[in-house]
């Protein structure tokens, strides 16, 4: 049985609370957030919802807030000598311990679920989501592993540096990719073609990247060196940002595959 | 019952031949290609494999070759008055009919399966792949529809201009996206993190883009305006092409969502 607190009421907090609440071996003692209205919507998951200064230490205290706010929240915790973890892919363990000036010291760790969380998405299956953990103390790492394995089958211990690389890779694989889908959708709309015509291609693109090495299955006019198609397509794009992305990735593809030949 | 010929022995030809061959209502009469060795591997799909000058006209004659070669192949066909279609998303119906100088005229059309085909991919389910058709003649369009509906549930008639837009959208949604997955994989490898940690995120990214409007679910440091994360991540990228892609898409995200706010 592991008792946890959650500090924060954003998307990560919501999906973690939901996943923990559905596990018998995990009990959410308190959830804390600044906005009383939002906090109320979390009450079904926890024994109690409280303001930060009313928080009692649990076995694991999870800070699920934006990167910028992590140090301030740690400073403001009304207890010491407890295990306190953040959920960020970017923020390092040592970076925030350096900034940790308070005399009320807690033991620090990381509990990073690698997924893009949005409120719209009620269909999150935590079992498939990798949870990357880190802690200053070996005993704490063990506690985090037990907690993470309560909701996921993909629990790994990695360093802050590795986590930061993985987070950057996720920016390419998720944030940037999603914007390319948005551009594709805009191009379809501008020509009165349903975006749904691209659905099978989009799913196949993701499935193939997982099944094969994506660099081995690259196709398209850039790596074929089809300059007529490239020139015509670039010309066809009227939005200057779309044009610049087209130009930049085309150039990168030529360099990447040119070097390999 | 529809009788077809296939001219070309690339990936599109291969997957079309395989799909047609598994349908009772479609008969592949002849498959034609330049390379006798490659052509031999197609013999299981067709009644006969022949060189281009031995080709007899079928009800539908499908030219599955690169954009550059389409006009020359049409010129070289040893028959006239038959329905001849190409499989390209880019090449227009009128563009290649303008270039069509031969006196042996055939009736032209388009049979464009919207998918990224590679030989590695034995697991293509044509039923989910949209086939976009076009023809100069209404009767020919009907024939193409019957042929396409023999292998796909997603058959649509669209104009050359729409098809060209869709093809460009597919370059963003497939070619460019796949390169972002390659970069993500390279970043993982450089930090000794398995690329498999990103698999669930990649599948979720695609699934969410289909389920929701991708512009409504965009996340990440660029749209949050988190300049500390943005500066640190850009600095972390050592490959100049990766850095340029990071900068370009980040700028585009700021513009896209800034304008909307």
């Amino acid at each position: 049985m592991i008792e946890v607190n959650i500090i924060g009421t954003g998307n990560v907090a919501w999906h973690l609370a939901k996943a923990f609440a559905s596990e018998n071996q995990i009990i959410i003692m308190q959830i804390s957030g600044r906005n009383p209205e939002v906090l109320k919507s979390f009450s079904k998951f926890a024994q109690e919802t409280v303001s930060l200064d009313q928080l009692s230490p649990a076995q694991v205290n999870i800070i699920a807030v934006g990167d910028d706010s992590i140090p301030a929240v740690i400073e403001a915790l009304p207890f010491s000598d407890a295990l306190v973890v953040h959920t960020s892919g970017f923020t390092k363990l040592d970076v925030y311990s350096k900034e940790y000036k308070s005399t009320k010291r807690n033991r620090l760790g990381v509990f990073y679920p690698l997924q893009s969380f949005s409120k719209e998405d009620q269909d999150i299956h935590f079992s498939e989501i990798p949870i990357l953990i880190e802690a200053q103390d070996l005993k704490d790492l063990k506690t985090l592993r037990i907690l993470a394995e309560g909701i996921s089958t993909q629990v790994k211990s990695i360093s802050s540096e590795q986590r930061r690389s993985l987070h950057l890779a996720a920016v390419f694989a998720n944030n940037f990719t999603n914007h390319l889908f948005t551009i594709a959708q805009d191009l379809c709309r501008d020509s009165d073609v349903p975006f749904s015509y691209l659905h099978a291609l989009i799913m196949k693109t993701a499935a193939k990247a997982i099944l094969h090495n994506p660099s081995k299955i690259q196709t398209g006019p850039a790596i074929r060196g089809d300059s007529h198609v490239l020139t015509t397509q670039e010309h066809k794009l009227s939005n200057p940002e779309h044009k610049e992305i087209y130009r930049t990735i085309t150039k990168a593809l030529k360099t990447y595959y040119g070097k390999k030949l």
Side-chain angles (χ1 to χ4, degrees), chain A:
Chain A
M1 189 77 80
I2 295 192
E3 295 178 351
V4 303
N5 286 333
I6 295 175
I7 300 111
T9 54
N11 293 331
V12 177
W14 176 268
H15 286 288
L16 274 181
K18 202 175 157 204
F20 288 151
S22 72
E23 287 302 318
N24 289 332
Q25 296 303 308
I26 302 168
I27 296 175
I28 308 175
M29 303 302 289
Q30 296 176 309
I31 297 181
S32 165
R34 275 175 305 186
N35 185 324
E37 272 309 301
V38 180
L39 195 54
K40 212 183 286 174
S41 69
F42 279 74
S43 62
K44 60 183 165 188
F45 298 130
Q47 310 276 310
E48 204 184 5
T49 59
V50 298
S51 65
L52 196 59
D53 52 8
Q54 291 174 288
L55 206 64
S56 308
Q59 220 175 330
V60 184
N61 303 275
I62 300 172
I63 302 183
V65 302
D67 287 286
D68 290 352
S69 309
I70 294 170
V73 170
I74 292 179
E75 287 290 332
L77 290 173
F79 50 75
S80 56
D81 294 322
L83 172 56
V84 172
V85 301
H86 72 68
T87 59
S88 162
F90 179 77
T91 298
K92 291 185 181 181
L93 189 62
D94 71 332
V95 162
Y96 82 98
S97 65
K98 265 180 216 158
E99 289 172 2
Y100 187 26
K101 299 172 199 87
S102 169
T103 49
K104 292 174 300 182
R105 294 230 161 219
N106 286 296
R107 304 184 317 273
L108 303 176
V110 181
F111 190 92
Y112 170 49
L114 176 56
Q115 188 54 270
S116 163
F117 296 100
S118 47
K119 273 266 163 64
E120 293 83 9
D121 205 351
Q122 287 306 312
D123 193 30
I124 292 260
H125 299 289
F126 249 99
S127 62
E128 300 151 19
I129 297 177
I131 299 181
L132 294 317
I133 54 171
E134 190 182 4
Q136 295 174 314
D137 181 295
L138 260 184
K139 199 167 141 274
D140 289 338
L141 193 66
K142 204 173 162 187
T143 305
L144 291 182
R145 182 174 292 279
I146 293 167
L147 178 64
E149 286 177 348
I151 56 173
S152 167
T153 58
Q154 306 285 328
V155 180
K156 310 284 173 185
S157 156
I158 63 174
S159 70
S160 285
E161 201 50 52
Q162 286 179 308
R163 194 175 59 256
R164 192 169 266 198
S165 295
L166 193 57
H167 179 250
L168 178 54
V171 165
F172 280 87
N174 168 266
N175 297 170
F176 289 177
T177 294
N178 188 66
H179 192 52
L180 297 187
F181 294 151
T182 297
I183 294 172
Q185 183 178 248
D186 288 353
L187 292 172
C188 285
R189 194 195 48 221
D190 293 348
S191 292
D192 210 16
V193 176
F195 180 50
S196 62
Y197 290 8
L198 287 173
H199 285 181
L201 181 67
I202 286 173
M203 286 310 294
K204 192 75 187 178
T205 303
K208 276 170 86 170
I210 284 171
L211 201 62
H212 306 282
N213 177 333
S215 72
K216 302 281 184 217
I217 52 166
Q218 183 67 49
T219 59
I223 71 156
R224 284 199 309 272
D226 192 333
S227 55
H228 173 55
V229 174
L230 294 172
T231 312
T232 312
Q233 290 195 327
E234 192 189 316
H235 184 75
K236 193 175 167 66
L237 292 163
S238 54
N239 179 310
E241 268 81 26
H242 296 179
K243 208 187 265 285
E244 204 179 332
I245 290 174
Y246 186 91
R247 217 181 280 135
T248 304
I249 303 186
T250 295
K251 186 171 149 252
L253 280 166
K254 283 179 179 174
T255 308
Y256 197 91
Y257 291 93
K259 272 181 189 159
K260 287 200 164 177
L261 292 176

